[in-house]
């Protein structure tokens, strides 16, 4: 498994993944992708996110990568270079997702481990990562990836969010 930037040829798979994750898990697979965006516009926006320019309100600089096995996209990682108040409560430095067809194969653990290495190269020291308390799979991934439980808080939607630090 490796993490890599999006390519021009990834559009169809990523748009389908974006819809799947939104429907099943209730969050975005593709950072900042909207149905109205052309693929070249989206790739340019990701480049802006990575460089911290032209950021929408509330968005921090971030590196977005897809996880691949061979040529198959199996998941993704969003590595946020800094935190804002929202990300301190829910999200943290690293967000990841594994597509439904590829779950329970260890890819989430690999995505997190690779993401931590990339975060270190970016210059992030202590890494905050969070998950919903009911997401047992994500909790296991974070804990096996070196995450140490710090706290839990109830989010405005009623979900309990667990906060972990990877030192």
């Amino acid at each position: 498994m490796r993490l890599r930037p999006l390519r021009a040829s990834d559009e169809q798979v990523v748009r389908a993944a974006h819809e799947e994750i939104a429907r099943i898990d209730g969050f975005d697979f593709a950072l900042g992708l909207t149905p109205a965006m052309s693929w070249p516009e989206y790739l340019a926006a990701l480049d802006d996110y990575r460089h911290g320019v032209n950021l929408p309100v509330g968005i921090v600089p971030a590196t977005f990568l897809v996880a691949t096995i061979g040529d198959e996209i199996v998941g993704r990682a969003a590595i946020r270079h800094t935190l804002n108040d929202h990300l301190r409560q829910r999200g943290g430095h690293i967000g990841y997702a594994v597509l439904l067809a590829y779950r329970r194969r260890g890819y989430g653990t690999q995505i997190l481990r690779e993401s931590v290495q990339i975060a270190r190269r970016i210059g992030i020291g202590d890494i905050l990562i969070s998950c919903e308390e009911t997401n047992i799979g994500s909790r296991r991934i974070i804990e096996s990836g070196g995450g140490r439980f710090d706290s839990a808080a109830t989010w405005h939607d009623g979900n309990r969010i667990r906060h972990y630090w990877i030192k």
Side-chain angles (χ1 to χ4, degrees), residues 29 33 49 75 81 88 100 107 109 114 130 134 137-139:
F29 180 84
L33 179 64
Y49 290 166
H81 305 182
R88 283 184 193 90
L100 187 61
Y107 297 140
T109 301
E114 291 290 318
S130 67
T134 57
S138 194
R139 287 171 57 178

Side-chain angles (χ1 to χ4, degrees), residues 107-137:
Y107 297 140
T109 301
Q110 291 177 34
I111 291 169
L112 179 58
R113 286 190 180 134
E114 291 290 318
S115 296
V116 167
Q117 292 176 9
I118 293 165
R120 298 284 190 231
R121 288 194 296 269
I122 290 169
I124 301 167
D126 294 344
I127 298 169
L128 176 65
I129 190 165
S130 67
C131 69
E132 291 186 5
E133 196 163 67
T134 57
N135 189 337
I136 303 302

Side-chain angles (χ1 to χ4, degrees), residues 36-66:
M37 293 177 96
S38 73
W39 195 246
E41 287 173 319
Y42 182 60
L43 295 179
L46 289 180
D47 195 52
D48 283 351
Y49 290 166
R50 190 167 44 86
H51 291 100
V53 298
N54 302 318
L55 298 175
V57 174
I59 301 296
V60 300
T63 299
F64 180 85
L65 303 165
V66 288

